């Protein structure tokens, strides 16, 4: 039974091979100054957000044996914008209870502090409760067509949160825990997939979730997008930041 479950997760979960937003729109240039692109040898792999001048919040499934180059302050990853800053992630802190599915959250310490500018800003952590049908936003640089068509500029899509019972019913046996938030796009096939991994679910201007996993087809409401619920990990985040 365990082997069947692991195999099912292999097919439905999108790992750190590059997530994507489909059915979204271009973000206004530098309107999401908290966004970070995690790159390996110049290739975007995951997203994240700046939560301190020297720390990025992302997903634990984005952990890799190589060092990440962390790019902030850009709208396009292919351009050479004057606002661009590049740093290196020198240490990773995946949640100690990450099991390949639950507790999918990680902090990355940078080799130096970013310079805060109009194009590079921190984002607050959402502390209050996220109600059902809350209107939020997901942001990322991945595939915009569910066919390896990479975004030229930063993309965003509106997301509506779902109740846990509805999400569990649609996922049909895949564990949806209280430490997760589920969301769907406003229309069919809108949402994230796999290089938006680690990116944010932004609600009321604060980051409420981390892009974790979705179904085989991007933005399919039959398998709602699932985010790690940041409010469930406030104490762990605070502990890592305070000790580093």
């Amino acid at each position: 039974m365990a082997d069947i479950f692991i195999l099912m997760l292999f097919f439905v979960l999108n790992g750190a091979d590059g997530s994507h937003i489909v059915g979204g729109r271009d973000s206004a240039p530098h309107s999401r100054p908290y966004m970070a692109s995690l790159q390996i040898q110049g290739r975007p792999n995951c997203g994240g957000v700046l939560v301190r001048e020297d720390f990025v919040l992302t997903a634990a499934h984005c952990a890799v044996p190589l060092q990440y180059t962390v790019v902030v302050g850009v709208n396009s990853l292919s351009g050479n914008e004057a606002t661009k800053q590049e740093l290196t992630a020198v240490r990773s802190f995946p949640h100690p209870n990450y099991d390949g599915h639950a507790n999918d959250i990680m902090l990355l310490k940078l080799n130096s502090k970013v310079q805060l500018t109009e194009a590079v800003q921190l984002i607050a952590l959402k502390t209050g409760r996220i109600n059902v049908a809350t209107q939020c936003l997901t942001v990322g640089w991945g595939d915009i067509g569910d066919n390896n068509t990479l975004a030229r500029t930063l993309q965003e899509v509106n997301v509506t949160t779902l109740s846990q019972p509805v999400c569990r019913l649609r996922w049909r046996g895949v564990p949806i825990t209280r430490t997760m938030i589920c969301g769907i796009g406003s229309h069919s096939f809108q949402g994230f997939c796999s290089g938006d991994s680690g990116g944010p679910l932004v609600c009321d201007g604060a980051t409420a979730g981390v892009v974790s996993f979705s179904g085989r087809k991007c933005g399919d409401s039959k398998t709602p997008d699932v985010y790690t619920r940041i409010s469930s990990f406030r104490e762990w985040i605070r502990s890592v930041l305070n000790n580093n």
Side-chain angles (χ1 to χ4, degrees):
M1 185 67 178
D3 290 341
I4 293 174
F5 175 67
I6 291 170
L7 183 61
M8 179 168 62
L9 285 182
F10 175 80
F11 283 116
V12 300
L13 304 187
N14 289 283
D17 56 347
S19 222
H20 46 286
I21 282 176
V22 292
R25 60 188 178 276
D26 291 348
S27 297
H30 306 296
S31 62
R32 314 298 174 197
Y34 46 77
M35 284 298 297
S37 173
L38 310 184
Q39 302 183 4
I40 299 173
Q41 297 179 341
R43 182 183 178 190
N45 194 62
C46 278
V49 292
L50 282 168
V51 293
R52 202 171 79 179
E53 288 95 328
D54 57 346
F55 263 96
V56 168
L57 182 69
T58 185
H61 78 256
C62 289
V64 291
L66 302 175
Q67 281 188 332
Y68 271 123
T69 297
V70 178
V71 178
V72 297
V74 297
N75 183 51
S76 170
L77 296 181
S78 60
N80 193 20
E81 301 173 30
T83 53
K84 179 179 180 179
Q85 297 181 44
E86 281 193 14
L87 302 98
T88 301
V90 293
R91 191 173 177 192
S92 61
F93 298 86
H95 193 275
N97 295 327
Y98 173 59
D99 61 4
H101 177 63
N103 308 303
D104 189 11
I105 190 168
M106 178 170 68
L107 285 159
L108 295 176
K109 183 170 175 60
L110 306 179
N111 63 323
S112 64
K113 292 184 177 182
V114 301
Q115 181 180 354
L116 296 181
T117 65
E118 187 174 343
V120 178
Q121 292 288 320
L122 309 182
I123 190 169
L125 303 180
K126 183 73 172 174
T127 57
R129 180 178 176 181
I130 304 296
N131 296 319
V132 175
T134 296
Q135 300 300 305
C136 303
L137 192 74
T138 297
V139 190
W141 279 282
D143 186 340
I144 59 174
D146 201 4
N147 58 4
N148 295 319
T149 304
L150 296 180
R152 297 187 179 212
T153 58
L154 187 63
Q155 298 289 297
E156 60 187 57
V157 66
N158 295 337
V159 173
T160 302
T161 59
L162 293 177
S163 71
Q164 293 244 316
V166 168
C167 190
R168 290 189 184 110
L169 182 64
R170 295 191 188 183
W171 270 100
R172 298 178 184 176
V174 174
I176 302 297
T177 72
R178 292 183 179 180
T179 62
M180 300 173 183
I181 302 173
C182 299
I184 57 173
S186 304
H187 304 287
S188 298
F189 300 109
Q190 285 187 317
F192 69 77
C193 225
S194 60
D196 294 318
S197 292
L201 176 70
V202 180
C203 308
D204 301 322
T207 181
V210 176
V211 171
S212 185
F213 66 90
S214 63
R216 292 186 183 186
K217 195 163 183 64
C218 298
D220 189 348
S221 61
K222 294 178 182 177
T223 50
D225 292 344
V226 181
Y227 305 81
T228 302
R229 187 187 300 271
I230 286 174
S231 62
S232 299
F233 299 93
R234 285 196 305 266
E235 291 304 316
W236 174 77
I237 293 171
R238 186 178 296 115
S239 174
V240 173
L241 295 181
N242 288 344
N243 291 327
N244 293 275

